Amino acid sequence: MKILIIGYGSPIRGDDALGPLVADRLEQDGVPADVAVIARHILTAELVADLAVVDQAIFLDAAVDLEPGAVRCQPLIPTTSPASSMAHFLDPRELLGWCAALYGHAPDSVLITGGGASFDYADYRLSPGGEMTLTAMLAQARRLIHAHVALSRSGAIL
Amino acid sequence: MSRTISIEPVTRIEGHARISLQLGDEGEVEDARFHLTQFRGFEKFCEGRPYREMPALTARTCGICPVSHLLASNKACDHLLSVSIPPTGEHLRRIMNLAQFTQSHALSFFHLSSPDLLFGWDADPATRNIFGVMREHPDLAKDGIRLRQIGQTIIEMLGGKKIHPTWVVPGGVNEPLTLEKRDAMLKLLPEGLEIARRTYDFFKTLVPKFKHEADHFGTLPTMFLSLVTPQGNLEHYDGLLRIKDAKGRIVEDMVPPEDYERIIGEAVEDFSYMKFPYYKPQGYPKGIYRVGPLARLNNAQACGTPYADVALAEFHMLQESGPIASSFHYHYARLVEIIYAIEMMERLLKDPTILDTRVRARARSNRAEGIGVSEAPRGTLIHHYRIDDEGLITWVNLIIATGHNNLAMNQAIRQVAEAYVDGKHLQEGMLNRVEAVIRCFDPCLSCASHAFGQMPLWIELKNASGQVIDTLTRSTECHR
């Protein structure tokens, strides 16, 4: 079972860097062989090809509507209705919609978002509240990875 | 009764833009304007920062093509250091730039403009979008994604997986290329070239269908500005400035980029936050010129790579004589440049010196003013810095590719509006054409722009007293 983790957000907008920083940390700490990790500023069209070859995708992003330290995990449903405000980058549901439309399937996907406290200028540096969120997001992502890996090893039909 | 049509937002863009059309008593278009309504101020807030931070700071100008700013900024810093960077360092920078051209042009053509080109401007917006393309032309949509993936992979192989690569540094690049990476990149390119050539051949079959659009989509008698090689050929990273006029006469040639202020002036208008650069000797606004793929191909005598040279010759045949005047043919030029970019990357990577380990010149700042100019996908990009004795930035001027095209975009909108907009009876296809002419330029407003398919357009016709007398909204259907 292949898993793709995509952390996204602006690295210079304070806690908006949560997505890429969690992705970087996961990669630094090591992930199972069938798990790939990508950090991006924004979600762009070529990621569709990466999604097309995995069974599970985990998106990581910062949230403005959660308290620092709080984490939300929600399933994503592919959409075929352009939802994002720009055409140069895409909403994760749009990426999945592109994937389904072009390649006939989209991976089961979840979005893990974590509350940010400050979104002012800061180069790959989180606020104290953001640091709390990073820890919580890491734990959530690792739980998901381990669950999927265990399920895969058990031979269960996914 | 005179009226104003306001199209806002023009597209789903982060840089907010609006188009206004002024109509006369009979509903005819009297004036058209393209308004950039968002202010960013990079030039101001960079003041006081150490000059070595500028590549990283200005790369954030654009989340889609940070490589362009990274290169122009580092070139300005090279100038501040007064160094000549090692040839291998320069070639590696070139490869990164060409990889970016590949992915940027692919997005513009395959995903932003193809719905109009494949289905027509009057097609139902419910199908005239990227999902329609995926449904009806899945192979073309996949080709676009694959080309972007190839470009992005090469950028990541060179710059690392960091979002904003710090691999390009003042004086060169901070790490030589390994044999393993070189071979991996070379392996990607044949497929990329095959896709690019296949798409180019396909697009050539579409062009005759769009004669009317080609004649009215910003077909303007402007000058063209771009970098060229010392031999007058296509150039994207370095070289010298050339300006050709609408008749093909070279009015400025072999101008060192450091002398750009001699030929380029900048004007401002109260209706937009985008500057209006112009050719100084002719004054404003007469000194209108265009930049980008169309200008580069119009200015280049040759590309210097086999398939791109054939395509360039065919490009010049789009018109009986002189530079290609129609902005519609930006699409064509983009495809030629993708072919060129892939061929040139292959050539550079196959040169054994690309593995040389001398890739960076080291120095402190040795002058107080630095200018860096390179070609971004959308046109000539200029970074100009002044620093104090401590190396802190005291003044910045950035002329972004899209800015050069500002005068032309305004004229192009007017031309399209005059040709297609009936002020007495608005129809969605009319508005789509007004937007589509902007898409030809592939503008990058603040971070990036463009849209495809169903865009949340809202248009109002107001009478002279500001009363709304007609509206048209485009979401899933038109409301009148």
Side-chain angles (χ1 to χ4, degrees), chain B residues 33-227:
Chain B
R33 285 178 175 181
F34 182 57
H35 312 253
L36 179 60
T37 54
Q38 181 186 17
F39 178 72
R40 297 193 77 196
F42 262 83
E43 285 146 319
K44 200 66 193 166
F45 65 65
C46 285
E47 287 178 5
R49 308 303 303 179
Y51 74 88
R52 284 183 183 276
E53 283 187 6
M54 289 302 283
L57 281 173
T58 55
R60 270 74 173 183
T61 309
C62 180
I64 294 298
C65 42
V67 171
S68 298
H69 289 284
L70 200 60
L71 291 174
S73 181
N74 273 295
K75 289 185 76 178
C77 291
D78 296 342
H79 196 206
L80 289 170
L81 304 183
S82 302
V83 295
S84 171
I85 75 170
T88 299
E90 183 206 307
H91 290 166
L92 288 169
R93 286 182 177 184
R94 281 181 183 274
I95 294 168
M96 185 180 251
N97 198 28
L98 294 167
Q100 185 200 215
F101 268 76
T102 303
Q103 60 146 308
S104 176
H105 283 356
L107 182 75
S108 172
F109 180 80
F110 288 91
H111 301 135
L112 303 178
S113 296
S114 71
D116 292 331
L117 299 170
L118 294 169
F119 301 119
W121 284 267
D122 296 310
D124 181 356
T127 52
R128 194 194 60 220
N129 58 46
I130 190 64
F131 290 106
V133 174
M134 288 176 187
R135 216 167 20 248
E136 302 292 326
H137 302 272
D139 291 339
L140 187 114
K142 283 180 188 169
D143 278 352
I145 284 172
R146 182 62 181 147
L147 266 185
R148 278 194 59 82
Q149 196 181 28
I150 289 170
Q152 183 62 30
T153 302
I154 292 172
I155 290 169
E156 284 186 4
M157 281 184 187
L158 291 169
K161 283 192 169 182
K162 275 281 184 196
I163 289 167
H164 292 289
T166 52
W167 173 72
V168 184
V169 290
V173 298
N174 67 16
E175 203 174 73
L177 183 63
T178 63
L179 181 64
E180 195 182 32
K181 281 186 181 175
R182 193 277 303 263
D183 290 350
M185 284 189 244
L186 277 172
K187 215 172 160 184
L188 294 169
L189 295 176
E191 185 193 356
L193 185 58
E194 202 181 308
I195 292 172
R197 291 185 60 206
R198 179 165 66 227
T199 310
Y200 171 73
D201 287 340
F202 171 66
F203 184 65
K204 279 195 297 181
T205 68
L206 294 181
V207 171
K209 296 178 188 170
F210 298 123
K211 189 178 180 319
H212 196 265
E213 280 77 11
D215 288 344
H216 296 88
F217 268 40
T219 302
L220 308 168
T222 71
M223 291 174 280
F224 296 94
L225 165 76
S226 73
L227 290 170

Side-chain angles (χ1 to χ4, degrees), chain B residues 219-380:
Chain B
T219 302
L220 308 168
T222 71
M223 291 174 280
F224 296 94
L225 165 76
S226 73
L227 290 170
V228 291
T229 68
Q231 295 75 36
N233 293 342
L234 187 63
E235 174 62 271
H236 291 96
Y237 168 78
D238 217 343
L240 302 153
L241 293 167
R242 167 176 282 178
I243 296 180
K244 261 188 191 176
D245 70 12
K247 291 185 175 165
R249 293 175 298 218
I250 294 174
V251 294
E252 294 284 353
D253 207 17
M254 302 300 141
V255 178
E258 297 76 30
D259 293 347
Y260 83 92
E261 286 177 301
R262 180 178 68 75
I263 57 171
I264 298 173
E266 297 177 74
V268 291
E269 296 280 3
D270 60 7
F271 63 83
S272 179
Y273 279 120
M274 187 159 29
K275 298 188 282 193
F276 289 78
Y278 61 96
Y279 176 51
K280 236 180 204 173
Q282 291 199 4
Y284 179 81
K286 199 177 166 206
I288 179 176
Y289 60 85
R290 281 175 280 179
V291 298
L294 188 75
R296 287 190 289 260
L297 293 199
N298 273 332
N299 279 350
Q301 284 158 214
C303 293
T305 62
Y307 288 121
D309 270 334
V310 172
L312 179 66
E314 292 174 337
F315 169 81
H316 285 305
M317 286 190 279
L318 289 169
Q319 200 174 287
E320 233 169 68
S321 63
I324 305 303
S326 173
S327 300
F328 178 79
H329 292 312
Y330 267 99
H331 298 306
Y332 197 114
R334 246 170 235 124
L335 293 177
V336 178
E337 286 201 321
I338 294 176
I339 293 173
Y340 167 83
I342 295 171
E343 287 186 300
M344 186 52 82
M345 280 192 279
E346 187 169 35
R347 179 182 295 174
L348 290 167
L349 286 166
K350 281 184 172 171
D351 183 339
T353 63
I354 201 69
L355 298 172
D356 197 304
T357 54
R358 285 160 295 190
V359 293
R360 182 178 183 181
R362 292 174 189 276
R364 296 176 129 189
S365 57
N366 287 299
R367 54 190 303 144
E369 193 160 359
I371 296 170
V373 180
S374 65
E375 288 288 336
R378 291 154 191 85
T380 313

Side-chain angles (χ1 to χ4, degrees), chain A residues 12 20 24 39-42 44 46 49-50 79-80 82 84-88 97-98 101-103 121 123-124, chain B residues 12-14 60 63-64 107 112 131 134 138 142 145 148-149 152 156 162-164 378 448-452:
Chain A
I12 59 165
D24 285 351
R40 287 290 169 85
H41 184 180
I42 47 184
T44 45
E46 67 278 5
D50 298 303
T79 178
T80 54
S84 55
S85 60
M86 288 182 62
H88 265 145
W98 283 40
L102 265 186
Y103 299 98
Y121 176 79
D123 198 4
Y124 283 100
Chain B
R12 289 182 294 147
I13 52 175
E14 189 186 70
R60 270 74 173 183
I64 294 298
L107 182 75
L112 303 178
F131 290 106
M134 288 176 187
K142 283 180 188 169
I145 284 172
R148 278 194 59 82
Q149 196 181 28
Q152 183 62 30
E156 284 186 4
K162 275 281 184 196
I163 289 167
H164 292 289
R378 291 154 191 85
S449 66
H450 323 297
F452 47 79

